Amino acid sequence: MEKVVSGIRPTGNLHLGNYFGAVKSFVKMQDEYDCMFFIADWHSLTTHPKPGDIQNSVRTILAEYLACGIDPQKAPIYVQSDVKETLELYLFLNMNMYLGELERVTTFKEKARKQPDNVNAGLLTYPTLMAADILQHKALKVPVGKDQEQNMEMARKCARRFNNIYGVEFFPEPQSFYFADKALKVPGLDGSGKMGKSEGNCIYLRDDDKTISKKVMKAVTDMGPQTPNSEKPEVIENLFTFLRLCSTEDTYQYFDEKWNDCTLRYGDLKKQIAADLIKTIAPVREKIAEYSANTALLDKIALEGAERARESARATLEEVRRIIGFRVR
């Protein structure tokens, strides 16, 4: 089976964008690939140097992963900082990367613009740490969003450069992986194109029924359809995206017909969306609460995942040391 690796930073609760855009794919992948999933707590330091209670943040993400259906027996889940081997590989890869190419990475330039008082070395070398996360397991596929494609190209560059410098064919070049030709984008409730924590336009998997309804009812709309069979503007298409995600096909067609004959009432549409989102989220939320209450189980799963990840990373690192010329410990 092909090896797949992917991670998420512990900077907040999972929202619908994470759930539909990534985690549901992870659940499917664990039955088809040799998967490892990790919680990227080191990565979070690039933007949150004082991350607060990082241990609870990690447990939060872990509980949500489990509640969404990831089975740690099929796909180990580990905490990035529990695999110390990653740091040594990160160092070796950094020795082969150049300042200019790291400075040209789009995500670095964007983050540097947003946090001008915290343009740290970790932010600059984020792609190299990401490459170490992937290459230590010699992963062939990495589920990522379109915004991470340049970082994936940097990971491939790390693999190629190592192989070229030392005259080996050791690291495979990892490929970005999507379940569809077009990556799924879950819209925000503010009329923007994408749901995201920083935009404050999210529905979280931990939100209660009342909160979900309140958020949906405040979703941005327009004056309503003025011409039969007209094209939906983005803010309305966003609402219909939620119908596609959580409602039946009959429900979608009903409201689509209402749009086309100009009889659509946004209040009715939002109530339907809220009801269907609640039906989708409620069982996941209940499981999150159950897992969150069992911290001993969460710590055990993380420990077992780390042991399996370290075994994989250690084998890679020993060979890397041998290739470069360092003593193998």
Side-chain angles (χ1 to χ4, degrees):
M1 296 175 70
E2 291 182 304
K3 181 162 281 188
V4 173
V5 173
S6 190
I8 188 170
R9 294 196 298 172
T11 54
N13 297 329
L14 295 181
H15 55 71
L16 285 181
N18 305 133
Y19 180 64
F20 286 108
V23 182
K24 288 194 73 174
S25 296
F26 295 169
V27 173
K28 181 179 179 182
M29 294 172 71
Q30 68 185 353
D31 292 318
E32 302 174 5
Y33 297 91
D34 179 9
C35 295
M36 282 190 173
F37 302 121
F38 68 95
I39 301 170
D41 52 348
W42 280 330
H43 279 297
S44 68
L45 297 177
T46 60
T47 52
H48 295 78
K50 297 179 180 179
D53 193 342
I54 191 69
Q55 189 172 17
N56 277 339
S57 296
V58 165
R59 285 174 176 156
T60 293
I61 297 297
L62 179 53
E64 291 176 337
Y65 264 174
L66 297 172
C68 290
I70 294 179
D71 182 349
Q73 297 304 312
K74 297 178 180 178
I77 308 172
Y78 66 93
V79 181
Q80 185 184 35
S81 61
D82 286 341
V83 183
K84 311 304 182 191
E85 289 79 2
T86 310
L87 291 181
E88 188 173 349
L89 182 57
Y90 173 44
L91 181 146
F92 287 142
L93 295 178
N94 267 330
M95 296 303 179
N96 297 332
M97 298 301 288
Y98 303 120
L99 179 62
E101 62 191 359
L102 290 169
E103 288 178 329
R104 288 193 293 273
V105 173
T106 302
T107 51
F108 168 72
K109 292 189 287 187
E110 290 177 350
K111 291 291 177 62
R113 186 171 61 251
K114 290 180 179 179
Q115 53 183 64
D117 297 327
N118 184 27
V119 185
N120 54 74
L123 188 66
L124 179 68
T125 59
Y126 182 106
T128 321
L129 180 55
M130 180 174 166
D133 290 323
I134 299 165
L135 297 180
Q136 67 184 344
H137 302 303
K138 304 181 82 171
L140 297 178
K141 289 184 168 62
V142 184
V144 293
K146 293 291 187 183
D147 59 336
Q148 289 294 313
E149 184 50 49
Q150 190 178 23
N151 285 335
M152 282 299 301
E153 179 52 42
M154 293 294 281
R156 290 188 284 271
K157 181 176 290 186
C158 284
R160 286 195 301 271
R161 188 165 293 166
F162 182 92
N163 292 343
N164 290 336
I165 288 174
Y166 299 107
V168 295
E169 290 295 330
F170 181 67
F171 284 122
E173 294 188 24
Q175 301 301 311
S176 302
F177 184 70
Y178 310 107
F179 271 104
D181 293 335
K182 183 177 180 181
L184 176 62
K185 182 174 70 174
V186 179
L189 294 170
D190 58 353
S192 65
K194 184 178 180 181
M195 185 173 287
K197 295 183 182 75
S198 59
E199 287 77 15
N201 60 6
C202 297
I203 293 176
Y204 293 96
L205 299 182
R206 289 176 179 260
D207 283 346
D208 58 36
D209 294 354
K210 184 176 181 181
T211 300
I212 295 170
S213 293
K214 187 175 181 179
K215 287 182 176 181
V216 172
M217 296 309 290
K218 287 184 176 180
V220 175
T221 55
D222 62 3
M223 295 178 61
Q226 306 297 309
T227 305
N229 300 308
S230 60
E231 182 178 351
K232 299 181 186 75
E234 183 179 12
V235 292
I236 306 307
E237 188 60 49
N238 286 347
L239 292 180
F240 275 82
T241 296
F242 286 110
L243 286 179
R244 291 193 188 95
L245 292 172
C246 296
S247 306
T248 65
E249 180 63 24
D250 288 346
T251 300
Y252 181 90
Q253 293 300 330
Y254 171 81
F255 283 102
D256 191 50
E257 289 172 9
K258 289 290 184 182
W259 169 269
N260 287 329
D261 65 16
C262 298
T263 62
L264 178 63
R265 295 166 58 91
Y266 287 143
D268 294 338
L269 173 61
K270 290 180 179 181
K271 288 177 183 177
Q272 184 68 54
I273 292 172
D276 292 340
L277 285 176
I278 289 169
K279 188 182 299 183
T280 298
I281 293 172
V284 178
R285 184 179 64 229
E286 292 172 4
K287 291 181 181 178
I288 291 173
E290 292 175 10
Y291 282 117
S292 296
N294 194 344
T295 56
L297 175 62
L298 295 177
D299 292 346
K300 179 175 181 289
I301 289 171
L303 177 61
E304 292 175 349
E307 289 174 351
R308 294 170 69 179
R310 291 197 71 183
E311 181 181 356
S312 171
R314 191 179 297 117
T316 299
L317 188 58
E318 286 180 357
E319 189 61 26
V320 166
R321 290 177 66 87
R322 184 178 293 108
I323 291 169
I324 295 176
F326 286 95
R327 176 171 57 87
V328 177
R329 292 173 295 192

